[in-house]
Structure formats: structure tokens, C-alpha cells
Amino acid sequence: MSSEQLAELAGVNAAKVRKDLSYLGTYGTRGVGYVVGELVDEIANELGLTHDWPVVIVGLGNLGHALANYRGFGARGFRIVALVDTDGSKVGRPLGELTIESLDELDVIVAQREVAIGVIAVPAPAAQEVADRLVAAGVGSILNFAPTVVTVPDHVTLRKVDLATELQILSFYQQHRTPSPV
Amino acid sequence: MSSEQLAELAGVNAAKVRKDLSYLGTYGTRGVGYVVGELVDEIANELGLTHDWPVVIVGLGNLGHALANYRGFGARGFRIVALVDTDGSKVGRPLGELTIESLDELDVIVAQREVAIGVIAVPAPAAQEVADRLVAAGVGSILNFAPTVVTVPDHVTLRKVDLATELQILSFYQQHRTPSPV
DNA sequence: CTCTGTGAAATTTTTCACAGCG
DNA sequence: CGCTGTGAAAAATTTCACAGAG
């Protein structure tokens, strides 16, 4: 497949595709293009998709359940190894292959199962507390779904997914009738 | 509040804050700083948060439920006006203030309630079909949570939230021990 | 010939640094 | 004075355009 075709599919400039791919090394063949399978392998390799990343989900309301049931984490190297909630009535309840555990067990869970990533799916008021506990337990990366600002030490990577923000971006484009970006 | 303080809170350079805010007009006072309330109003105004945007959620599995129950859409001007599912056994079931309706009613729902934004929360295989129906019904913007590529005509704005991608970005940083961005 | 890989140019974004207002 | 608003400089990103490999 040529950089032109890849660019078309990705909605970007062909030169950009070539420049970006060139950072991986020389995987194209002049006059021919790229072998898609090779590219996929090399990109997976470069992005670290060869690792297996144990994940803990904190908070099992609707969103937590949705995440716990989400197909496709496995295919990308993420293994959900624990489900944690503060709600005593939820603790002990089975969910898929796992059983909901108490937030108080977090330290042990993270240490024993070598959890690398924590997902916060609790209500906003509890998010900072959960983040602090995750950090204290030794988690290196946090994905926060709670609609609130959470702060963590520098050595911890934090990302936030804010559903209302996504809608806001959409409505902004709609309002301005700007041609759709990515 | 000074641009310095705002920059600190946002984790960016103070000059950038001033430059960005200057595009809104002249809302700061030299020697003093910005009046936060004024800024909030002006930004809300510029971003179109004064509108009210009717939203339809398609697919009421765990994720759809989570979205339907999500607090904070209202505060940002998004009003969920319809919940739609293909599953006959779900149709008619009440959820919050709304009742789940059939996908077949989509055209009427969108037209009558002036729906501007559609949220796709169905399994991946059904996503394209739902997107097509939303477009046909006249929705101008779509937020897709299904982990699959969906294509829409140019005049429709599409955004995608892919949970696995978010985790991938996290694990990439973790692997490279790069200082946390954003 | 075709299509990559890549210097160089163009463009965009970010930062600097300072005149000048309150 | 202190802090904004903003030209100008610096840095980063994207695109061009073409030598050269297959």
C-alpha cells in the first residue's frame, strides 16, 4: 500500500505519512509502497503493544460496569485484573471472571498483581481520594473519567476523558459549521 | 487573577494564556489581571455554551446507561431528549425521566425534538448502521464510543472516544517514562 | 516509471520581551 | 509599580519537491 493510500485513509497529507513512518526506520520499498503487515507489527512494537498491562478499575457504577465488560481491551494488551469499589454492598459481588473487592485492599492488589494502570470511574467528589490511593499503592498511570480536576505527583501519568467536553467540542464545530476534523 | 496564576493552574506558559485570551477581546486589566467571572462568561459565550443542545443516545447497554445517568451534561447545555435502542425488550422501559424508544422512531424523534447530536453507544458491529440512520434523520454531529471506524458525509461532524486508545496512550508514556503531558 | 525517504521551505504554534495602561 | 496585550523571535510541525532505489 502506498503512502498516498494510507494518507487517504487517515485523512492526512501523504508526505506526513512518509515522514512519520520514516521515524520507525526504513520499512517502505521505493516504487512499491509499504507492506501493511510489517507496518502493523513495527508500530505495535514501537508503541509497546507487546507488553501486557494489568489494569484495575475503581468504581463499579454504570461506567465501571461498561468498562469491565468492554471487549477489545484484551486484544490491545490490557488485562483487567481487579475491580474495586467502596460500596460495601458491592464488594464480594461477582462480575465476569472477577469479584468486586474493597478499596481498602488496593495496596495489596496493586503490589501482588503488578497493576500498572488505574481507571477512575467513581463520582466526582471521590475522584481525588481514589487517585491518591492509587498513587500511594504504586500505580504509574491513571485514566480519570470523573468530571473533575485531579492532581497527581509528577512521576504519575494522568489522562482525563470528559464526556461533557467531547460534546462541547462537537457543538462548537456544529455551531461554526467548520469542516469536520479527524 | 493574573495570567501567571491561570497558567499555573492550567499547566502552561503565562504568555500563552494572555495570547489566547487576547483573541476573545480585551478582558484583562493591566496591573491587575482578569476578573474570573467575566472570563467564564465570555468563554462560554464564544464556545457556544449559551445554546441548548438536544442529544439522543443510541444503545442502552452499560455505557448507554452510564451516559444517560451522567450528571453534568445539563450544566453544560446538553439536554438528553431521547434514549433509543434496537433491543425490543428494552423499548418501553423507563430510565430516569425518559422512556427507551425504538430505533425505528429515530426520524420522527430527531425532527420533532430538534436533536443536534447523536451519541453511539452500541456494539461495534452495529455502529455504522446507527451512524447512517442518525445522518439520514438529520443529526449534524455524532460522538462514537464504539471501537470501530465509522464514516459519515462531510457535512456531519464525527468524534470518536476509544477507551482502549486512551489506555494505550497511557501505557506508551509509562513505558517511556516521559514526564506527564497535558 | 513509481513511490520512498528526506533536506529545505512554508506554515503554525509557542515563547520572549517590552511598551504602555491603570 | 504590576500585569496585560502584542509585535517579533524561536521552536515545532507540516508540506513541498526531488534525488535516487527498485
Side-chain angles (χ1 to χ4, degrees):
Chain A
M1 183 173 285
S2 69
S3 59
E4 193 87 46
Q5 291 171 285
L6 290 168
E8 167 76 16
L9 291 169
V12 301
N13 184 294
K16 184 165 208 317
V17 169
R18 294 201 297 279
K19 182 72 104 178
D20 286 359
L21 291 179
S22 76
Y23 291 117
L24 300 176
T26 297
Y27 290 94
T29 306
R30 296 179 182 214
V32 179
Y34 299 89
V35 177
V36 173
E38 272 178 25
L39 267 193
V40 169
D41 286 353
E42 181 51 28
I43 292 172
N45 200 54
E46 193 69 25
L47 294 182
L49 307 190
T50 49
H51 273 66
D52 189 70
W53 299 96
V55 175
V56 57
I57 294 175
V58 183
L60 287 140
N62 285 307
L63 181 57
H65 270 81
L67 293 168
N69 289 326
Y70 189 73
R71 319 222 143 274
F73 281 150
R76 307 241 222 144
F78 300 103
R79 199 157 39 87
I80 297 172
V81 297
L83 304 172
V84 167
D85 205 301
T86 24
D87 183 344
S89 70
K90 284 184 189 153
V91 173
R93 201 186 296 174
L95 177 49
E97 318 230 298
L98 297 167
T99 300
I100 299 177
E101 298 170 84
S102 164
L103 186 60
D104 296 330
E105 308 291 328
L106 197 61
D107 284 4
V108 177
I109 293 170
V110 170
Q112 284 189 349
R113 302 176 208 174
E114 297 178 295
V115 173
I117 298 176
V119 175
I120 299 179
V122 299
Q128 183 63 57
E129 159 78 9
V130 169
D132 293 345
R133 293 241 210 165
L134 284 167
V135 171
V139 164
S141 303
I142 294 176
L143 184 57
N144 175 33
F145 282 94
T148 184
V149 172
V150 160
T151 54
V152 295
D154 274 356
H155 67 276
V156 176
T157 304
L158 175 75
R159 281 184 71 82
K160 186 185 170 186
V161 176
D162 185 330
L163 307 173
T165 298
E166 296 293 333
L167 288 182
Q168 252 175 39
I169 295 170
L170 274 183
S171 65
F172 179 81
Y173 286 121
Q174 175 139 339
Q175 186 172 220
H176 291 261
R177 297 255 173 273
T178 305
S180 172
V182 176
Chain B
M1 184 174 284
S2 70
S3 60
E4 193 87 46
Q5 291 171 285
L6 290 168
E8 166 75 17
L9 291 170
V12 301
N13 183 294
K16 182 163 209 317
V17 169
R18 293 201 298 279
K19 183 73 103 180
D20 286 0
L21 291 180
S22 75
Y23 292 118
L24 300 176
T26 297
Y27 291 95
T29 307
R30 295 180 184 215
V32 179
Y34 299 87
V35 176
V36 174
E38 271 177 27
L39 268 193
V40 169
D41 287 353
E42 183 49 30
I43 292 171
N45 200 53
E46 194 69 26
L47 294 182
L49 307 190
T50 49
H51 274 66
D52 187 68
W53 299 95
V55 175
V56 57
I57 294 175
V58 182
L60 287 140
N62 285 307
L63 181 56
H65 270 82
L67 293 168
N69 290 325
Y70 189 72
R71 319 222 142 276
F73 280 151
R76 306 242 222 144
F78 300 104
R79 200 157 39 87
I80 297 171
V81 298
L83 305 172
V84 166
D85 205 299
T86 24
D87 183 344
S89 70
K90 283 183 189 155
V91 173
R93 200 185 295 173
L95 178 49
E97 319 230 300
L98 296 167
T99 300
I100 299 178
E101 298 170 83
S102 165
L103 186 59
D104 296 329
E105 308 292 328
L106 198 60
D107 284 4
V108 177
I109 293 170
V110 169
Q112 285 189 348
R113 301 176 208 173
E114 298 179 291
V115 173
I117 298 176
V119 175
I120 299 179
V122 299
Q128 182 64 59
E129 159 79 8
V130 169
D132 292 345
R133 293 243 210 163
L134 285 168
V135 171
V139 164
S141 303
I142 294 177
L143 184 57
N144 175 32
F145 283 94
T148 183
V149 172
V150 161
T151 53
V152 295
D154 273 357
H155 66 278
V156 176
T157 305
L158 176 75
R159 279 184 72 82
K160 185 183 171 185
V161 175
D162 186 331
L163 306 173
T165 298
E166 295 294 333
L167 288 180
Q168 250 174 41
I169 294 171
L170 273 182
S171 66
F172 179 81
Y173 285 121
Q174 175 139 338
Q175 186 172 222
H176 291 261
R177 298 255 173 271
T178 305
S180 173
V182 178

